[in-house]
């Protein structure tokens, strides 16, 4: 037997089900088993990302990240995470690199980005995706240049994931169209 209140709740939720529609969001990523499987142009950029990672300043997390960005003027811009005793003042590798690219080469378009992350405390063997804040920052440049940015990301060893566009990594993106 339904009591008065539960009956009302049932009625309300049935009504909700009638007006609610489900939206499914899909993303496509490609996964390469190792660096040897990558296309040549990505191998070279990932090697640069490794060099950048080796210059990370991450004494607090011991988690080193390197990013390499290829621009359409053939410049390669590198960045690594830069930490701070006041933790939130630090900056991720991807944003260090992309803000440098945006400030030094404001007219250039970003063709592709390679990211690698490795902890000093344990071997990082899985692809490490850019954090949410970095995705938001990369999204800004993808929209600005009206051209997709290819993103390759890996740990220190092992598989590499590739997204053909930042948009695949940031569904329901907040962008200038909503302002
Ligand atoms: N980090 C990055 O550099 N990129 C990311 O996308 C995620 C996290 C850095 C920030 C911090 O220095 C350390 O990794 C641990 O979070």
């Amino acid at each position: 037997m339904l009591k008065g209140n539960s009956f009302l709740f049932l009625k309300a939720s049935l009504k909700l089900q009638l007006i609610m529609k489900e939206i499914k969001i899909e993303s496509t990523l490609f996964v390469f088993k190792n660096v040897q499987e990558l296309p040549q142009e990505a191998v070279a950029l990932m090697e640069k990302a490794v060099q950048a990672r080796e210059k990370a300043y991450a004494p607090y997390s011991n988690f080193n990240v390197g990013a390499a960005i290829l621009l359409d003027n053939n410049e390669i811009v590198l960045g690594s995470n830069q930490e701070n005793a006041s933790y939130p003042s630090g900056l991720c590798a991807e944003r260090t690199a992309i803000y440098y690219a945006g400030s030094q080469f404001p007219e250039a378009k970003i063709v592709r980005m390679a990211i690698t992350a490795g902890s000093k405390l344990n071997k990082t063997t899985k692809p490490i995706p850019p954090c949410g804040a970095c995705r938001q920052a990369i999204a800004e440049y993808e929209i600005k240049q009206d051209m997709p940015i290819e993103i390759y990301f890996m740990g220190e060893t092992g598989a590499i994931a590739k997204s053909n566009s930042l948009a695949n990594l940031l569904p329901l993106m907040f962008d200038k169209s909503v302002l």
Side-chain angles (χ1 to χ4, degrees):
M1 252 315 256
L2 288 171
K3 287 212 185 108
N5 273 350
S6 3
F7 180 68
L8 274 181
F9 174 72
L10 190 69
K11 235 177 120 183
S13 60
L14 279 177
K15 201 169 168 194
L16 256 183
Q17 276 175 26
L18 288 179
I19 54 171
M20 184 183 77
K21 67 173 177 177
E22 185 175 303
I23 300 172
K24 285 217 167 72
I25 300 172
E26 281 189 359
S27 270
T28 305
L29 292 181
F30 302 91
V31 181
F32 300 87
K33 268 202 191 118
N34 48 45
V35 179
Q36 290 73 42
E37 276 199 6
L38 285 179
Q40 197 48 47
E41 69 270 14
V43 176
L45 200 63
M46 192 54 86
E47 280 167 2
K48 293 279 183 192
V50 170
Q51 289 171 15
R53 193 189 71 216
E54 285 163 358
K55 292 186 177 148
Y57 175 61
Y60 304 104
S61 70
N62 284 306
F63 193 76
N64 293 347
V65 187
I69 291 177
L70 173 71
L71 302 176
D72 67 351
N73 61 7
N74 280 326
E75 291 280 349
I76 291 179
V77 172
L78 306 183
S80 57
N81 51 331
Q82 299 297 311
E83 297 189 347
N84 194 285
S86 168
Y87 295 176
S89 301
L91 195 64
C92 291
E94 297 88 328
R95 275 176 289 161
T96 304
I98 209 160
Y99 290 149
Y100 184 86
S103 53
Q104 294 300 304
F105 305 102
E107 306 306 330
K109 293 190 176 187
I110 297 167
V111 177
R112 94 177 40 91
M113 191 163 183
I115 305 162
T116 166
S119 169
K120 280 192 184 158
L121 309 177
N122 44 54
K123 261 259 174 291
T124 312
T125 55
K126 282 189 201 142
I128 307 294
C131 77
C134 288
R135 293 180 207 194
Q136 183 68 31
I138 302 166
E140 184 68 28
Y141 291 92
E142 182 165 286
I143 291 162
K144 175 187 170 218
Q145 67 183 31
D146 195 21
M147 185 182 95
I149 300 175
E150 285 182 8
I151 302 175
Y152 289 85
F153 52 93
M154 67 177 292
E156 217 177 327
T157 56
I160 297 113
K162 180 199 179 194
S163 173
N164 281 339
S165 158
L166 184 280
N168 290 324
L169 299 179
L170 195 61
L172 300 181
M173 185 189 293
F174 182 94
D175 64 21
K176 64 181 178 183
S177 70
V178 304
L179 297 177

